[in-house]
Amino acid sequence: MSTYRVAQATAAGGPLEIAEREVAEPGPGHVRIAVEACGVCHSDAFFVDAAVPGVRFPVVPGHEIAGRIDALGEGAREFGWQEGDRVAVGWFGGSCRHCTPCRQGDFIVCENLKVPGWAYDGGFAERVIAPVDALARIPEGLAASDAGPMACAGVTVFDGLRRSPARPGDLVAVLGIGGLGHLGVQYAVAMGLETVAIARGADKAEIAKRLGAHHYVDSTAGTPVAEALRSLGGARVVLATAGSSEAIAATVDGLSHRGELVVIGATPEPLGISPLQLIMAGKEIRGHPSGTAQDVQDTMAFSALHGIRPMTETVPLERADEAYRKMLSGAARFRMVLTTT
């Protein structure tokens, strides 16, 4: 009997512990992936803490997966996949294909979205079985430890920006320089946008400069963030990656006319924004989810072309709980990534 290792939580909020599972064969329309790397995302806490319905323990989290196909289920080859292909699987771990959003082709908001670590065992493991519609092809030159985080963090900010009204030369602000924001700044610069990085503390200015930001706003410096943005001419788009409703709301008055606030940072607290702040200047607020497998593939291709990489700290799978706790504490700079080799 062949086995593989996983890092699993056996109870809500419990530690991630190494366990062994029997290797299974992929079913029709699925492939088995030999995991090489998996990013640790804050959204993994939804499943480890059973904060969403339908979580069943033990839970194997992980939805920033990169590896190689090592087995094909029936029909998978017909979709162009073969053993040895390098693939990534992100928050989009497959769709139901029959709900109204799917029938409209809007798969990322599928009502029955198959998120790894929730719908099936995730990537904190040496093997993962995933449906073929979840697979994104990793380009040459992109390491697995870089590709993994792009399957969730990367695609979320990349797609959030390219679907915004911002065009080359426009002023765009990225709120938060963390696991999402440090990639958002790099993508904004590569897209030809005049990029403002907003974060807490003067110490982040050097990081913002290294990432390519044209301007840095310290939200703790005393000048309101909105005023700082208006002094630069007003932001066409604010990409809000920080998980703080107060910080997100503080940017609205810094938007230009017809400006758009793209909300990515997840938090349960309501936004303190009044209708009057939006109506007179025609401002918009849009929530943005992750991206489909094709969006992930586009993100990785763009990243490879422009030399964009996540800033990561890699640790072996057996230290999964340590990596997960460091991510939760906010001490990660900026993505923790588990490796199996």
Side-chain angles (χ1 to χ4, degrees):
M1 179 181 70
S2 180
T3 63
Y4 67 100
R5 297 180 304 155
V6 302
Q8 64 180 27
T10 58
L16 295 173
E17 301 170 329
I18 300 298
E20 288 199 355
R21 301 276 181 89
E22 185 176 351
V23 174
E25 295 302 314
H30 287 67
V31 302
R32 191 176 67 216
I33 301 168
V35 179
E36 296 175 353
C38 186
V40 182
C41 181
H42 201 278
S43 298
D44 289 317
F46 291 151
F47 316 126
V48 174
D49 295 341
V52 291
V55 173
R56 296 183 299 275
F57 290 94
V59 161
V60 180
H63 56 267
E64 293 186 342
I65 306 163
R68 293 181 184 271
I69 296 175
D70 75 350
L72 296 168
E74 181 184 352
R77 198 178 300 275
E78 297 173 11
F79 290 90
W81 300 106
Q82 53 189 322
E83 291 91 342
D85 283 348
R86 302 179 68 226
V87 295
V89 177
W91 178 265
F92 180 84
S95 59
C96 73
R97 307 182 192 182
H98 62 75
C99 69
T100 298
C102 282
R103 286 167 61 84
Q104 293 173 340
D106 200 357
F107 301 107
I108 189 57
V109 289
C110 169
E111 294 172 0
N112 306 289
L113 193 66
K114 300 173 184 176
V115 181
W118 189 9
Y120 52 86
D121 284 349
F124 289 13
E126 293 174 327
R127 297 288 188 277
V128 164
I129 291 178
V132 292
D133 64 324
L135 304 179
R137 197 176 298 276
I138 300 175
E140 291 300 319
L142 196 62
S145 58
D146 292 329
M150 290 179 182
C152 180
V155 68
T156 302
V157 291
F158 175 77
D159 224 35
L161 281 170
R162 73 168 174 172
R163 295 180 186 278
S164 79
R167 296 296 177 264
D170 285 347
L171 188 78
V172 167
V174 178
L175 174 65
I177 304 180
L180 293 165
H182 87 286
L183 286 166
V185 170
Q186 293 180 76
Y187 288 131
V189 172
M191 290 177 184
L193 303 167
E194 184 178 353
T195 306
V196 185
I198 306 170
R200 294 176 56 84
D203 59 312
K204 297 287 182 66
E206 179 58 33
I207 296 174
K209 181 179 179 181
R210 280 195 283 130
L211 294 171
H214 303 98
H215 311 278
Y216 178 70
V217 173
D218 175 6
S219 62
T220 67
T223 302
V225 168
E227 184 177 325
L229 291 177
R230 287 198 302 271
S231 73
L232 294 170
R236 186 72 177 92
V237 169
V238 170
L239 185 72
T241 73
S244 165
S245 292
E246 182 179 359
I248 294 171
T251 67
V252 172
D253 288 338
L255 288 168
S256 66
H257 65 283
R258 302 289 181 186
E260 182 176 85
L261 172 62
V262 182
V263 180
I264 289 174
T267 173
E269 299 301 322
L271 292 172
I273 298 170
S274 75
L276 286 177
Q277 288 177 276
L278 306 176
I279 294 171
M280 298 303 291
K283 299 174 183 178
E284 299 181 10
I285 301 175
R286 174 171 61 88
H288 182 75
S290 184
T292 66
Q294 183 60 54
D295 294 327
V296 172
Q297 196 161 303
D298 292 347
T299 300
M300 292 189 294
F302 186 89
S303 301
L305 180 65
H306 291 277
I308 295 171
R309 300 293 186 272
M311 296 173 67
T312 63
E313 180 180 343
T314 58
V315 297
L317 179 65
E318 55 266 27
R319 292 169 54 194
D321 191 66
E322 176 188 336
Y324 177 71
R325 302 299 162 185
K326 186 170 184 178
M327 176 278 298
L328 285 180
S329 74
R333 291 292 180 269
F334 285 103
R335 303 298 285 188
M336 303 300 297
V337 178
L338 303 179
T339 59
T340 60
T341 57

